[in-house]
Amino acid sequence: MLAPFTWNIRVYYEDTDAGGIVFYANYLKYFERARTEWLRAADVHQHDLAIDQKIMFVVKSSALEYHAPAKMDDELELNTAVIKLGQASLHFLQEIWCGQTLLTTARIKIGCVSTETIRPCAIPAEILKKIQVAHSPLI
Amino acid sequence: MLAPFTWNIRVYYEDTDAGGIVFYANYLKYFERARTEWLRAADVHQHDLAIDQKIMFVVKSSALEYHAPAKMDDELELNTAVIKLGQASLHFLQEIWCGQTLLTTARIKIGCVSTETIRPCAIPAEILKKIQVAHSPLI
Amino acid sequence: MLAPFTWNIRVYYEDTDAGGIVFYANYLKYFERARTEWLRAADVHQHDLAIDQKIMFVVKSSALEYHAPAKMDDELELNTAVIKLGQASLHFLQEIWCGQTLLTTARIKIGCVSTETIRPCAIPAEILKKIQVAHSPLI
Amino acid sequence: MLAPFTWNIRVYYEDTDAGGIVFYANYLKYFERARTEWLRAADVHQHDLAIDQKIMFVVKSSALEYHAPAKMDDELELNTAVIKLGQASLHFLQEIWCGQTLLTTARIKIGCVSTETIRPCAIPAEILKKIQVAHSPLI
């Protein structure tokens, strides 16, 4: 990946299941936390988007490969990169690493929708610009 | 308890933690499912309340005792009884049983709030009546 | 799909997010509940597998398409079909419907692993037979 | 509270519900994260406890008061203090603050149990000492 955004996440009891490892649905939560922090680093705040702009980002598709499990107390490193940026959508490639081990890979497609109609709408120009400025090498 | 409302819940992988038992925060989810079904049995639907009446029920306090753990695949029986019904609040006593074993006891205080202000408001008369009619022996 | 296994799931508050719809990671929980019930219908119980056979099923990959959102109080119908059955793996195609609307589609690859080593191992013959007998038209 | 341990937690989408606020069961997750970090600060690691010492800490009771809700993107401050330390148990008082607003208060009783029998057992002397050394003013 080309200079992705990096975010660290600690594994807690709540994330594990009776198999003794992180419940696989919870990786989607980790990936979303990383995307939220990536947006925040670009000065885009989702709560404000919903209130001020009446838009929100929703996940259109997710494709995850689970290579190796994370365990209680692990400190994970998440890499997040935009691989495609459209007028109303973003495609992400994300990875979770524990030390030198790649645990999980995700391809996530996000759409921008109106909070009122839940229908697709263009990403507002000022938001798009913030994303482009912050992450131009990746796009 | 006096003729409480009964609802069954199955334990799935998602509910367990690395200790091999149900993660204790998840009992709050089970208790809420049972209260939702208790309301539904009284013909009160929370999604409609939020849309039509602009109110919602929020939890003000929860006190849980964890006596014994539930495990993957267990089929649990939940008992739900109203022990106090006010103009803007409900107090519940709830229990989770697995066969003849009492697993968890909960005392939950619920308040009725406006969805717009998140401030307390009286339970609408028609809703209150539905609850009283359905559950008069308990109140 | 060819005569899939069907399981119904109700949406509760715990499943929703601030967008007013089901949080997309939670569909993975729904799909797993349906697979667990599909196994149970074939007389295979995951808790017993872990204790008696020292094996467990783990998710190797998940690919989900989110077509339309589910909302609080919705009653969902899940279809589950095995589309490939190997010696140590199962591939599932699963769908979530709300009435006549297809909400979500999933392709899930499952592997059988030892609970001790977390490494792949063959599905025990008796378990494989139960799955084949119960679901032969699908395989 | 007397010089409690402090830990910050950010609210993400996964934590919210259709009411637009943090789902109240999720505060139990936040409180547990804070207790885990409090233990880690005392050089006690729960994954190691389970593997090396065959013990784990389980929650015996939880009593929470929900004063005001947290919202998406809030950065919360959690205070954690031991108010009683026994041979096989710990009692915690915990608080969640958002800026100058107290959101939630919790009283949590924890027991030490064997991972094999899930029955109470004494906290190992070396663990107890670490806790006492790190947190003597609070006990």
Side-chain angles (χ1 to χ4, degrees):
Chain A
M1 262 198 232
L2 179 59
F5 174 80
T6 294
W7 187 252
N8 284 6
I9 288 176
R10 177 75 77 168
V11 176
Y12 294 107
Y13 247 120
E14 69 192 73
D15 302 312
T16 61
D17 67 20
I21 55 182
V22 169
F23 184 65
Y24 67 100
N26 291 334
Y27 295 113
L28 279 177
K29 296 184 180 178
Y30 294 175
F31 285 123
E32 171 148 329
R33 291 184 205 172
R35 293 195 307 274
T36 295
E37 296 299 339
W38 168 87
L39 273 176
R40 199 188 318 278
D43 194 31
V44 179
H45 305 272
Q46 291 184 82
H47 184 253
D48 297 345
L49 286 186
I51 301 297
D52 302 337
Q53 310 259 5
K54 307 286 182 199
I55 63 161
M56 63 180 176
F57 290 114
V58 297
V59 177
K60 302 301 291 176
S61 72
S62 64
L64 275 69
E65 303 277 330
Y66 309 94
H67 308 297
K71 294 183 302 297
M72 176 67 192
D73 281 341
D74 280 352
E75 189 163 17
L76 308 176
E77 185 176 296
L78 279 84
N79 293 332
T80 296
V82 175
I83 52 174
K84 191 176 162 194
L85 177 58
Q87 290 303 309
S89 67
L90 294 118
H91 295 195
F92 287 92
L93 179 60
Q94 297 186 279
E95 297 169 344
I96 301 177
W97 291 80
C98 185
Q100 299 303 308
T101 307
L102 176 62
L103 303 188
T104 314
T105 313
R107 288 170 181 276
I108 309 281
K109 296 185 185 176
I110 303 285
C112 181
V113 301
S114 155
T115 57
E116 281 154 7
T117 62
I118 318 284
R119 305 199 128 217
C121 66
I123 301 169
E126 64 179 308
I127 305 298
L128 202 58
K129 192 165 181 184
K130 281 183 178 178
I131 294 174
Q132 286 169 330
V133 168
H135 304 280
S136 51
L138 300 171
I139 294 164
Chain B
M1 263 197 232
L2 177 60
F5 174 79
T6 295
W7 188 254
N8 285 6
I9 288 176
R10 177 74 78 168
V11 176
Y12 294 107
Y13 247 119
E14 68 191 75
D15 303 312
T16 60
D17 67 19
I21 55 182
V22 168
F23 184 65
Y24 68 100
N26 291 335
Y27 295 113
L28 279 177
K29 296 184 181 180
Y30 294 175
F31 284 123
E32 170 149 330
R33 291 183 206 172
R35 292 194 308 273
T36 296
E37 296 300 338
W38 168 86
L39 272 176
R40 200 189 317 280
D43 194 32
V44 179
H45 305 272
Q46 290 184 81
H47 184 253
D48 298 346
L49 286 186
I51 301 298
D52 302 338
Q53 310 259 6
K54 307 285 181 200
I55 62 161
M56 61 180 180
F57 291 113
V58 298
V59 176
K60 301 301 290 176
S61 71
S62 64
L64 275 69
E65 302 278 331
Y66 309 94
H67 309 297
K71 295 182 302 298
M72 175 66 192
D73 282 342
D74 280 351
E75 189 163 16
L76 308 175
E77 186 177 297
L78 279 84
N79 293 332
T80 296
V82 175
I83 53 174
K84 190 175 164 195
L85 178 57
Q87 290 304 309
S89 67
L90 294 117
H91 294 195
F92 287 92
L93 179 60
Q94 297 188 277
E95 297 170 343
I96 302 177
W97 292 79
C98 185
Q100 300 302 310
T101 307
L102 177 62
L103 304 187
T104 314
T105 312
R107 288 171 181 276
I108 310 280
K109 296 184 186 177
I110 303 284
C112 181
V113 302
S114 153
T115 56
E116 281 153 8
T117 63
I118 318 284
R119 305 199 129 217
C121 67
I123 301 170
E126 63 178 309
I127 305 299
L128 202 58
K129 192 167 181 182
K130 280 183 178 178
I131 292 173
Q132 287 168 330
V133 168
H135 303 280
S136 51
L138 300 170
I139 293 164
Chain C
M1 262 197 231
L2 178 59
F5 174 80
T6 294
W7 187 253
N8 284 7
I9 288 176
R10 177 74 76 168
V11 176
Y12 294 107
Y13 247 120
E14 69 190 74
D15 303 311
T16 60
D17 68 20
I21 56 182
V22 169
F23 184 65
Y24 67 100
N26 292 335
Y27 295 113
L28 279 177
K29 296 184 180 179
Y30 294 174
F31 284 123
E32 170 148 329
R33 291 183 205 172
R35 293 195 308 273
T36 295
E37 296 300 338
W38 168 87
L39 272 176
R40 199 189 318 279
D43 194 32
V44 179
H45 305 272
Q46 290 184 81
H47 184 253
D48 298 345
L49 285 186
I51 301 298
D52 302 337
Q53 310 259 6
K54 308 283 182 201
I55 62 162
M56 62 180 177
F57 291 113
V58 298
V59 177
K60 302 300 291 175
S61 71
S62 64
L64 275 69
E65 303 278 330
Y66 309 94
H67 309 296
K71 295 181 301 297
M72 175 67 192
D73 282 341
D74 280 351
E75 189 162 16
L76 308 176
E77 186 177 297
L78 279 84
N79 294 331
T80 296
V82 175
I83 52 174
K84 191 176 163 193
L85 178 58
Q87 289 303 309
S89 67
L90 294 118
H91 295 196
F92 287 92
L93 180 59
Q94 297 187 278
E95 296 169 345
I96 301 177
W97 291 79
C98 185
Q100 300 301 309
T101 306
L102 177 62
L103 303 188
T104 315
T105 312
R107 288 170 181 276
I108 309 281
K109 296 185 185 176
I110 304 284
C112 181
V113 301
S114 155
T115 55
E116 283 153 6
T117 62
I118 318 283
R119 305 199 130 219
C121 66
I123 302 169
E126 63 178 308
I127 304 298
L128 202 57
K129 192 165 180 183
K130 281 183 178 178
I131 293 174
Q132 286 169 329
V133 168
H135 303 279
S136 51
L138 299 171
I139 294 164
Chain D
M1 261 197 232
L2 179 58
F5 174 80
T6 294
W7 188 253
N8 284 7
I9 288 176
R10 176 75 76 168
V11 177
Y12 294 107
Y13 246 120
E14 68 191 74
D15 302 312
T16 60
D17 67 20
I21 55 182
V22 169
F23 184 65
Y24 66 100
N26 291 334
Y27 295 114
L28 279 177
K29 296 184 180 179
Y30 294 174
F31 284 124
E32 169 148 331
R33 291 183 206 173
R35 293 194 308 273
T36 295
E37 296 300 339
W38 168 86
L39 272 176
R40 200 190 317 280
D43 194 32
V44 179
H45 306 272
Q46 290 184 81
H47 184 253
D48 298 346
L49 286 186
I51 301 298
D52 301 338
Q53 310 258 6
K54 308 284 182 202
I55 62 161
M56 61 180 178
F57 290 113
V58 297
V59 177
K60 302 301 291 173
S61 71
S62 63
L64 276 68
E65 303 278 330
Y66 309 95
H67 308 297
K71 294 182 303 298
M72 175 67 193
D73 281 342
D74 280 352
E75 189 162 17
L76 308 176
E77 186 177 297
L78 279 84
N79 293 332
T80 295
V82 174
I83 52 174
K84 191 176 164 195
L85 178 57
Q87 290 303 309
S89 67
L90 295 118
H91 295 196
F92 287 91
L93 179 61
Q94 296 187 279
E95 297 169 344
I96 302 177
W97 292 79
C98 184
Q100 300 302 309
T101 307
L102 176 62
L103 303 188
T104 314
T105 312
R107 288 170 180 275
I108 309 281
K109 296 185 186 177
I110 303 285
C112 181
V113 301
S114 154
T115 55
E116 281 153 8
T117 63
I118 318 284
R119 305 198 128 219
C121 67
I123 301 170
E126 63 178 309
I127 305 299
L128 203 57
K129 192 165 181 184
K130 281 183 178 178
I131 293 174
Q132 286 169 329
V133 168
H135 303 280
S136 51
L138 301 171
I139 292 165

